[in-house]
Amino acid sequence: MEQKDYRVRDSLPETPDSFYATVERSLYACRDEQKQRTWGIGRLPRKLLVPLVAALVLLVAGTAVAAGMWLRDNYSPTSYMETAKEKREEQGKTIPDVEQAIASAVPQSGDYRFVMLPEFKDAETLDAFRVQQGQPKFNEADWAWIKEIKPEVEEVLIDGRTLVFNIRLNTDHAKAFTWPDVEGQWVDALVDSITFRREGDSMAYPITEGGGGINPSMVTDQWATLYTDVILDQPSVNFPKEGRVELTVEIGIRDARVDDLAPIGNVAKLYYTFSFDVGAGTDAAPAVVNERKLTGSYVLTVDDWTDPDKPKYYNQRVSLDGVTLREEIHYRQTGVYVTYSVAAAPANWTEAMKTALLYPNREGKWHGLYIQYRIGPKGEWLPVGHENWGKFGENTVIVPIFPSEYEKAKAQGVTLRLTEYYGTALNGTPIAEDWTMDIPAGSFTMDLTVEGQEIGTFELPLP
């Protein structure tokens, strides 16, 4: 694949907040999966995030490969939708409850229109940047094929927390979305903005949190599939719970040789409207909130950015006596969502310590909280699912048990096990329980060896 440099210049047009939110969220979600990582990339100032996009391209590619190998063990609604329906059926990996939720959305295509780069308000600045990157000035004749693309909504999945949709871009130039074609064109597509209208309401409401892109595993000679996920349970979005909703998405068609993620690479914008039914997004049963008290003495590995000028990284043995977790459970068509947050802690506990206790540890290979589940008293401990985003100070997991399975699982009993991992060696050198390290300026690679400590097991109530 062609290598390219990502550079940021003061003269660039302003990049929307949604881009930086997507980058930060992706970095946050992925960094605990990397045994070797560059420290602190998830919390850098926004002006420093753009050079990290090249690394994200590799992470996204890895996600697409994993999607093709989808198993129930790493289930999430997003990973489910990242696998084409045909492949899900071929692999025998379909989940009836999730398929029912997808089918109930009944998506319908609406209007669409294209706007080419010369019509952008900042066209001259963007064209000048193209030249700075060694690309020719924009010539609409070279990109005329874009206006022949016919968008078509394929599948929509909504579960009350997450909205995921796949849009098929029908075009004879589909291969250009994965690799430079014979003319040397290499493009990508991302949703730059989304608005929705409720049925019978003319007012458009924005959705600002989302991520996605072209899924390389879902590109053929005739079409490329644009995957997008949106988080709905955020204060700024009052998404309907019933009826049909009309979504209008602004899709940026990027010249990947300029920049395939930031809008500065756009050569065209596609505005596409489609509608769907939100009925499957209601909970299968009322939510449940519990308090879980912790006890005992354990070691935390803390990533402390309280003072951004003097960040530090340390181990500390702490008592969990007096720590209470808030456990919020949502029973959705797409699985049982469990969110942990700290409801109470001793006065000497800092916010950094609370965050460290709950830091999502997806595979038990990094520091933080690793959560598993089992069905029955002698069942195998299995990994829970995770969504692609999270909030610092919270840990949300998805237990892949679905409404049609509640009765059987409840009869056997479902248990959650919480294991806290802490660092025992850094880059091969042992570190003590009272170890501290100042985080230097710049970046460095760290290889952390970890050890787990079970901090609690809780029975998961089912309706």
Side-chain angles (χ1 to χ4, degrees):
M1 183 178 291
E2 176 185 339
Q3 299 226 349
K4 50 181 183 172
D5 295 328
Y6 290 84
R7 295 186 290 272
V8 184
R9 305 177 192 277
D10 293 338
S11 60
L12 294 183
E14 182 69 14
T15 304
D17 290 340
S18 58
F19 167 68
Y20 294 101
T22 299
V23 173
E24 289 183 286
R25 189 166 51 252
S26 300
L27 290 168
Y28 172 84
C30 293
R31 70 176 185 172
D32 62 310
E33 296 176 353
Q34 311 302 311
K35 189 174 182 181
Q36 289 193 339
R37 70 172 185 172
T38 300
W39 178 258
I41 55 179
R43 302 185 187 177
L44 292 176
R46 62 153 48 192
K47 66 180 180 181
L48 298 180
L49 282 172
V50 176
L52 298 169
V53 173
L56 273 182
V57 173
L58 298 178
L59 292 174
V60 170
T63 299
V65 172
M69 301 295 291
W70 181 87
L71 297 171
R72 191 177 176 114
D73 280 353
N74 64 5
Y75 163 83
S76 74
T78 54
S79 67
Y80 196 87
M81 288 283 283
E82 284 174 346
T83 302
K85 180 178 178 63
E86 297 79 7
K87 291 185 179 180
R88 297 197 302 263
E89 293 173 345
E90 287 173 8
Q91 297 174 11
K93 301 294 192 298
T94 57
I95 299 176
D97 294 81
V98 182
E99 292 295 333
Q100 180 183 341
I102 294 172
S104 68
V106 195
Q108 295 181 353
S109 285
D111 296 333
Y112 68 92
R113 64 184 176 90
F114 288 92
V115 176
M116 304 303 285
L117 189 149
E119 302 173 68
F120 297 179
K121 64 180 181 180
D122 49 1
E124 291 186 6
T125 301
L126 292 175
D127 218 3
F129 183 68
R130 289 181 55 81
V131 175
Q132 290 177 8
Q133 300 304 297
Q135 300 303 316
K137 290 178 66 66
F138 180 84
N139 181 347
E140 189 157 342
D142 295 335
W143 301 94
W145 64 270
I146 288 179
K147 299 180 73 172
E148 302 302 319
I149 292 175
K150 297 187 183 302
E152 173 189 2
V153 60
E154 288 183 310
E155 292 187 307
V156 174
L157 175 59
I158 181 170
D159 68 0
R161 171 183 169 87
T162 306
L163 167 65
V164 191
F165 54 87
N166 290 332
I167 297 174
R168 178 176 291 183
L169 304 177
N170 296 290
T171 171
D172 292 337
H173 292 254
K175 290 296 185 181
F177 284 94
T178 56
W179 201 262
D181 67 10
V182 292
E183 285 80 33
Q185 289 182 342
W186 177 21
V187 295
D188 201 353
L190 280 175
V191 171
D192 288 336
S193 69
I194 305 173
T195 58
F196 71 89
R197 298 176 187 271
R198 298 179 176 87
E199 188 174 43
D201 188 349
S202 61
M203 180 67 71
Y205 303 89
I207 301 176
T208 58
E209 296 290 321
I214 295 293
N215 188 334
S217 68
M218 297 168 69
V219 176
T220 71
D221 291 332
Q222 290 79 40
W223 67 77
T225 295
L226 172 59
Y227 161 93
T228 304
D229 52 37
V230 178
I231 187 166
L232 297 178
D233 62 344
Q234 50 177 316
S236 60
V237 176
N238 184 19
F239 207 79
K241 299 295 184 182
E242 59 184 1
R244 291 193 69 82
V245 167
E246 184 180 86
L247 238 62
T248 298
V249 294
E250 177 191 346
I251 301 170
I253 310 294
R254 321 277 207 244
D255 183 344
R257 299 165 302 177
V258 176
D259 198 312
D260 59 343
L261 287 185
I264 54 178
N266 279 350
V267 291
K269 297 178 183 178
L270 165 59
Y271 294 89
Y272 175 49
T273 298
F274 62 92
S275 64
F276 59 92
D277 195 303
V278 302
T282 57
D283 286 358
V288 171
V289 176
N290 298 312
E291 287 195 345
R292 306 293 193 179
K293 295 184 181 300
L294 302 180
T295 61
S297 176
Y298 302 93
V299 179
L300 292 183
T301 295
V302 183
D303 165 8
D304 191 343
W305 287 73
T306 304
D307 183 348
D309 296 324
K310 295 181 180 179
K312 57 184 178 179
Y313 190 56
Y314 61 88
N315 280 348
Q316 181 178 343
R317 178 169 286 279
V318 300
S319 171
L320 298 187
D321 295 344
V323 175
T324 301
L325 298 183
R326 183 181 191 271
E327 179 187 73
E328 183 175 338
I329 306 170
H330 286 268
Y331 305 98
R332 297 192 165 101
Q333 191 79 7
T334 55
V336 180
Y337 283 70
V338 184
T339 298
Y340 287 103
S341 57
V342 176
N348 64 338
W349 271 59
T350 65
E351 290 301 317
M353 292 166 63
K354 296 175 186 177
T355 298
L357 176 67
L358 296 177
Y359 188 88
N361 185 357
R362 294 171 184 264
E363 298 179 349
K365 296 180 180 179
W366 197 246
H367 67 83
L369 185 61
Y370 180 53
I371 302 177
Q372 298 165 290
Y373 79 102
R374 73 178 179 191
I375 299 177
K378 297 183 179 180
E380 177 187 358
W381 287 108
L382 302 171
V384 294
H386 295 262
E387 275 298 1
N388 292 336
W389 35 53
K391 299 175 183 177
F392 286 106
E394 286 188 359
N395 192 326
T396 297
V397 299
I398 308 168
V399 182
I401 298 175
F402 306 92
S404 65
E405 303 168 341
Y406 288 168
E407 184 175 349
K408 182 178 180 180
K410 186 176 181 179
Q412 299 178 71
V414 181
T415 306
L416 297 180
R417 179 168 71 178
L418 280 57
T419 304
E420 185 71 27
Y421 280 77
Y422 69 100
T424 59
L426 177 63
N427 298 329
T429 301
I431 55 179
E433 293 183 359
D434 59 353
W435 168 83
T436 300
M437 178 188 73
D438 292 330
I439 299 174
S443 63
F444 65 95
T445 299
M446 60 188 304
D447 185 346
L448 191 68
T449 303
V450 296
E451 183 174 315
Q453 322 146 95
E454 183 180 306
I455 63 173
T457 58
F458 308 125
E459 294 303 306
L460 177 67
L462 290 174

